[in-house]
Amino acid sequence: MKKLIFCCLVVLMGACKDDKKDPEPEVDYAKDIVGVYETTTVDAGVTSHHKWDITTESKNQLSINYTKDSEIVLSGTRIPITQQYPLVAVKATAQDTFEINEKVDVTQTIGGALSQRISGIGTRLVNGGGVPQINITIKFSESSSGVNDFEQYLEFKKK
């Protein structure tokens, strides 16, 4: 009987043992990406100045205030337009990588309301000149219908 009780105690103690070690704290990759990044593009009569003001919201979550100032030239007439994309749920997925995938209500100076889905995976690196930059292919699509998809490759340089 003593052996049976002893065996039950050993089994019970083994079952109650906490095999979990203290979890390693998750590294916050967002802080390394924070800053102001800019680039300029020219495409078929449209010159656009893109500016990203990236801040951290919480651990591994970024917020990007994306401003796009464009100038469209049609038959000698210049039409300026400013669009602002408030990206608030950008996830830092690795030390130099983040993912955008959200629906955004775009504020613009010309035209009516615009709602778009913005998606892409950005990579932060240091270019040959020693300047940090972000390379990304951004996909824009009309969020309600998914039509008018447009992809654009951008290289943002840190200011």
Side-chain angles (χ1 to χ4, degrees):
M1 186 73 172
K2 288 182 182 180
K3 289 183 181 181
L4 181 62
I5 292 173
F6 181 73
C7 287
C8 288
L9 261 170
V10 170
V11 170
L12 183 61
M13 287 175 59
C16 293
K17 184 180 176 188
D18 186 12
D19 289 336
K20 295 181 183 176
K21 295 179 182 177
D22 291 335
E24 300 250 347
E26 188 177 326
V27 178
D28 184 14
Y29 300 119
K31 63 182 176 12
D32 296 331
I33 301 171
V34 170
V36 176
Y37 298 81
E38 297 179 357
T39 191
T40 301
T41 60
V42 179
D43 185 31
V46 179
T47 303
S48 298
H49 178 71
H50 307 260
K51 179 180 177 185
W52 278 9
D53 187 1
I54 303 175
T55 57
T56 184
E57 289 295 312
S58 62
K59 185 184 257 185
N60 290 322
Q61 183 171 343
L62 298 164
S63 175
I64 301 176
N65 183 16
Y66 176 17
T67 304
K68 182 179 176 182
D69 290 314
S70 300
E71 184 177 78
I72 304 166
V73 178
L74 294 170
S75 302
T77 303
R78 298 183 183 281
I79 304 167
I81 181 172
T82 298
Q83 296 175 308
Q84 292 184 324
Y85 302 79
L87 304 168
V88 295
V90 179
K91 293 182 176 119
T93 55
Q95 183 174 1
D96 293 320
T97 307
F98 60 91
E99 180 178 0
I100 300 171
N101 187 15
E102 62 184 283
K103 179 183 172 188
V104 178
D105 291 324
V106 182
T107 305
Q108 52 187 4
T109 56
I110 295 177
L114 178 62
S115 183
Q116 288 191 317
R117 173 149 306 275
I118 312 293
S119 60
I121 296 177
T123 304
R124 182 184 168 276
L125 56 98
V126 177
N127 65 20
V131 177
Q133 72 180 48
I134 294 175
N135 297 347
I136 187 168
T137 299
I138 300 179
K139 182 177 181 181
F140 300 86
S141 62
E142 190 177 320
S143 63
S144 61
S145 64
V147 298
N148 298 327
D149 287 356
F150 171 71
E151 283 190 357
Q152 186 172 27
Y153 175 75
L154 299 169
E155 293 181 357
F156 288 89
K157 309 268 187 306
K158 190 168 186 177
K159 297 298 172 185

